[in-house]
Amino acid sequence: MEPAQPADRVPADQTPPDGQPPVAPTPAAAVPEGEPALAEPPAAPVGEAETGELPAPPPAVDARKSERSPKDMALSLLVLLIPIALLLAFYRGFLGGDQPVTVDPAPAVESARAANAFPVSEPVELGDGWRTVNATFQNVEGGATLRLGYLTPEGRGAQLVQSNVPPERLLPAELTAEGQPQGQTDLGGRTWQRYTARANEQAMVLLEPNRTVIVVGDARDNELRHLAGTIR
């Protein structure tokens, strides 16, 4: 007689009864009684499954930026403005930053006289406060032109132009095509023609056989008359 088999023992011979198909054994791990079955771990995200790397954490927000008050911003701006103000004061006070750059008109006047294209004149005894800021002599189409630019005592601009370019070409170029005569005025024993010029300018024109003299600028009428009257 065979000994009795335990109730939980699986027979070694799993041959099915006659007429039944064979049954394949199921490989399942035995779970001890009284312990829960282990749950399957959750599936990893697609990105992690493919690369094996965790996603980068979001950038940290600097809380100090959001905590800056308008007062802090004003102080920062003040720190930047103080050096700029000091530099400007030094530039104006010690380097003469507000003073116009003056030039010596002698080289341009000598070049015009050496060219002997027309009689050359220059202002005599203009007085204090008049500064020469431009002086050029150049050959142009149809002749030559001497141009002397001044800053008046009132801080306005005036220009003395002498040229042998024909007046019908010179005047439109210097006074614009809208320049029109406005009557005559006598200065220094010579008769000048008053002209309109650019938007805020006026001019006086002296027509001579060998040259044309123009005094033009945004200076006041008395300053332009003074410049024209000193030309010798």
Side-chain angles (χ1 to χ4, degrees):
M1 178 181 297
E2 295 182 0
Q5 300 294 330
D8 56 352
R9 181 176 180 181
V10 179
D13 186 7
Q14 298 184 2
T15 304
D18 294 340
Q20 299 295 328
V23 180
T26 301
V31 179
E33 294 182 1
E35 294 186 8
L38 295 177
E40 295 183 0
V46 176
E48 297 179 16
E50 294 177 353
T51 62
E53 298 180 356
L54 296 176
V61 178
D62 190 354
R64 292 176 297 177
K65 293 184 179 180
S66 59
E67 294 176 357
R68 295 187 65 185
S69 65
K71 180 180 179 181
D72 295 334
M73 297 177 65
L75 290 176
S76 301
L77 183 61
L78 184 62
V79 170
L80 294 175
L81 291 179
I82 289 177
I84 296 175
L86 293 176
L87 288 175
L88 288 176
F90 177 78
Y91 175 71
R92 293 179 177 179
F94 295 93
L95 302 182
D98 290 338
Q99 300 298 321
V101 178
T102 59
V103 300
D104 182 9
V109 173
E110 292 174 1
S111 297
R113 286 175 175 160
N116 199 26
F118 51 82
V120 177
S121 301
E122 41 181 336
V124 178
E125 297 180 356
L126 264 178
D128 296 336
W130 288 81
R131 287 160 287 186
T132 307
V133 295
N134 181 38
T136 59
F137 173 75
Q138 58 184 147
N139 293 310
V140 296
E141 184 178 356
T145 299
L146 172 64
R147 193 181 306 274
L148 304 177
Y150 300 92
L151 192 66
T152 73
E154 294 185 6
R156 299 176 180 269
Q159 192 168 193
L160 170 61
V161 180
Q162 303 174 68
S163 178
N164 64 345
V165 174
E168 59 272 15
R169 293 176 53 188
L170 180 66
L171 295 182
E174 298 294 333
L175 309 180
T176 74
E178 288 75 24
Q180 297 296 326
Q182 302 294 311
Q184 298 180 348
T185 184
D186 293 330
L187 293 170
R190 291 177 288 190
T191 301
W192 295 71
Q193 298 286 340
R194 301 178 64 87
Y195 271 78
T196 57
R198 297 174 178 86
N200 60 337
E201 295 182 347
Q202 54 184 333
M204 290 186 292
V205 178
L206 178 64
L207 297 173
E208 294 182 339
N210 297 325
R211 69 170 180 175
T212 299
V213 182
I214 303 174
V215 174
V216 59
D218 64 354
R220 297 184 185 276
D221 180 71
N222 63 320
E223 289 183 320
L224 293 179
R225 290 173 61 88
H226 175 70
L227 175 59
T230 61
I231 295 175
R232 300 288 187 273

